[in-house]
Amino acid sequence: MRRREFFRDALDESIRAAQKGFLNLQETFTEVNDAVQDALDETPGHGDFFDSYEMSYSLTLAYPREMFEQMARDQGMPFEGVETIDIASELYKRGVI
Amino acid sequence: MKRRNFLKAMGATAAGVGAAATIGAPTKAFARSKTDIGECKSLKITVLTETSWFDNAQFKKDIVDNGGASTNQYDIPWDPKNAGGYSTLLEIEQLDGTVNKLLMDTGWSNEWMDYVYDRHGIDKMIESGEIDTMVLTHWHLDHFWGIESTLKHNDKIKMYGPATMYPEDEKLLYGGKNEAKGVVINKNDVPFKGELVKTTPKEFYKLYPGVAIKEFDVPILLRVRGENVVYVNVKGKGIVTVTGCCHPGLLTLYSTARRQIKGGDKIYGCYGGLHISLFENWDPKMDDIIKGAKAFNPKKMGCNHCTGWVWAENAAKAGLPIVKGTNEYKTYPRQSSVAKDTNVFLTNGDTVIF
């Protein structure tokens, strides 16, 4: 083997090894990331419907306030000065909605 | 998560997606493994009917006068003259040129739905098997109670519906009628004999390449729970969400696409009801939904039904790509009392291609 070929083969081998190492690293990171994401998704409270109006607008903003007041009144819940999202959340906890 | 944090996160995520796109492939190594729903060439939507009811004030009065929004929908003697329905035809062109036709929802009034199906030839498509599947988005009256109009053309049509169904829903589906305060509020003389796939949030239900259903378990008023959403992945363009009412919330749907669907970081648009300003009420917080939607950079948004004309008008003014409808709806025998000349809704008879 000539000197130039030796160095070329050695370089190719090093690149292959580095690629393999990087692929293993990728796999490990992906698995860890998946596990973290799964844990986050399953954590109670992560992305809960009643966390914000942006999450719950289809319920908490879509209907007139008076409808929530009617439901709260029927439940004997205080509603004056209470945010609609908090009324809705409490109604949900009570199984009303 | 508080409101400010939510919007901050939304902006940060949008920036992150932009950065990821710029940096290129290496970042994919750290992406969560996502569901591959495949790709299709295009999606054509035909608005069969989005006028679930014609008079907003009467619909609201029926709810308020009968115990309020938490009342079971089967306990309200709804004004039958106000009943219309929601139903959509999806035509999905595959990469090889074949076209799949999918029906979404079956409306409320049988009389209205029979007219709508006849007008668009849906009755014949169901009879011939050209349409052999229906996605029921949720069990609300205006999406489901017109079931007889579908079943009389094929009682074995395959159905996907949220697993969260009640005995009254089953009674109607499998042949029967329901009464509220002595008044017959719905009926079905054609018992369902096909397969009902009861959907849950645990998985994506793949229908065709590029098309999948995802169920979201969310609270809905009138004693209904859970909604199916159709995700369509259009090759080279991105994800389109097709909804009945979008009770889970548009921002949640887009976030879910980004986190769980391969290619879902590219949002192309949406079609359907967005459930924002149902009774045309306006709240300044609704501006945040506009800002949130803009963060996902959608290219085409077709909305109607429970979206609220007021929200669609404000969204269009704020620069969201709201697709305007035509005056075709005026050729239907009845129109919604809240329809406006701004045409920010895709209304009855309109089409849009994604």
Side-chain angles (χ1 to χ4, degrees), chain A residues 1-13:
Chain A
M1 186 184 285
R2 289 183 185 172
R3 187 165 169 261
R4 180 178 292 178
E5 284 172 347
F6 171 82
F7 281 113
R8 193 185 61 201
D9 288 353
L11 183 62
D12 284 352
E13 189 55 39

Side-chain angles (χ1 to χ4, degrees), chain A residues 26 29-30 33-34 37-38 41 51 53-55 57-59 61-64 66 70-71 92 96-97, chain B residues 1 3 6 29-30 32-33 60 64 68 221 225 247 249-250 259 275-276 278 281 285-286 288-289:
Chain A
Q26 274 189 329
F29 267 102
T30 303
N33 191 50
D34 280 3
Q37 286 292 339
D38 285 342
D41 286 350
D51 278 357
Y53 281 108
E54 286 80 5
M55 297 286 284
Y57 72 81
S58 63
L59 180 69
L61 296 182
Y63 300 95
E66 67 210 52
Q70 183 183 20
M71 288 187 278
Y92 178 69
V96 177
I97 55 177
Chain B
M1 192 186 287
R3 181 169 162 242
F6 180 90
F30 308 108
R32 183 174 202 250
S33 41
K60 184 177 167 187
V64 173
L221 295 182
R225 184 172 181 134
H247 289 286
L250 184 66
R259 285 187 296 112
H275 217 270
I276 300 174
L278 187 64
N281 50 310
K285 296 185 201 73
M286 291 172 181
D288 292 339
I289 304 164

Side-chain angles (χ1 to χ4, degrees), chain B residues 4 26 49 54 78 97 135 181 207 211 234 276 279 299 319 350:
Chain B
R4 180 173 293 177
T49 169
F54 301 101
W78 302 94
V135 177
K181 298 179 180 171
L207 302 184
V211 183
V234 182
I276 300 174
F279 294 111
K299 306 298 181 200
D350 283 336

Side-chain angles (χ1 to χ4, degrees), chain B residues 123-140:
Chain B
D123 44 6
K124 290 179 181 63
M125 291 182 205
I126 296 172
E127 279 165 18
S128 69
E130 207 175 336
I131 294 173
D132 62 2
T133 306
M134 181 177 82
V135 177
L136 183 74
T137 58
H138 59 300
W139 298 99
H140 257 162

Side-chain angles (χ1 to χ4, degrees), chain B residues 67-183:
Chain B
S70 61
T71 306
N72 177 357
Q73 61 178 342
Y74 287 93
D75 290 339
I76 298 176
W78 302 94
D79 179 358
K81 296 190 294 296
N82 199 26
Y86 183 91
S87 185
T88 302
L89 175 65
L90 291 78
E91 295 176 80
I92 304 109
E93 186 181 4
Q94 295 298 335
L95 299 180
D96 66 2
T98 58
V99 176
N100 300 115
K101 294 186 177 179
L102 178 66
L103 185 63
M104 173 180 274
D105 292 337
T106 183
W108 177 359
S109 155
N110 286 128
E111 186 183 346
W112 179 254
M113 292 311 298
D114 287 345
Y115 165 76
V116 167
Y117 281 1
D118 177 58
R119 178 178 176 129
H120 291 275
I122 300 297
D123 44 6
K124 290 179 181 63
M125 291 182 205
I126 296 172
E127 279 165 18
S128 69
E130 207 175 336
I131 294 173
D132 62 2
T133 306
M134 181 177 82
V135 177
L136 183 74
T137 58
H138 59 300
W139 298 99
H140 257 162
L141 65 169
D142 52 318
H143 297 256
F144 169 58
W145 286 8
I147 185 67
E148 187 186 84
S149 294
T150 295
L151 296 181
K152 69 183 180 184
H153 302 295
N154 179 5
D155 59 6
K156 294 185 182 66
I157 190 169
K158 186 172 184 178
M159 273 182 62
Y160 290 81
T164 44
M165 67 190 296
Y166 283 89
E168 298 98 322
D169 301 322
E170 291 198 14
K171 186 177 176 184
L172 184 64
L173 180 63
Y174 292 103
K177 63 181 180 183
N178 290 287
E179 294 181 12
K181 298 179 180 171
V183 177

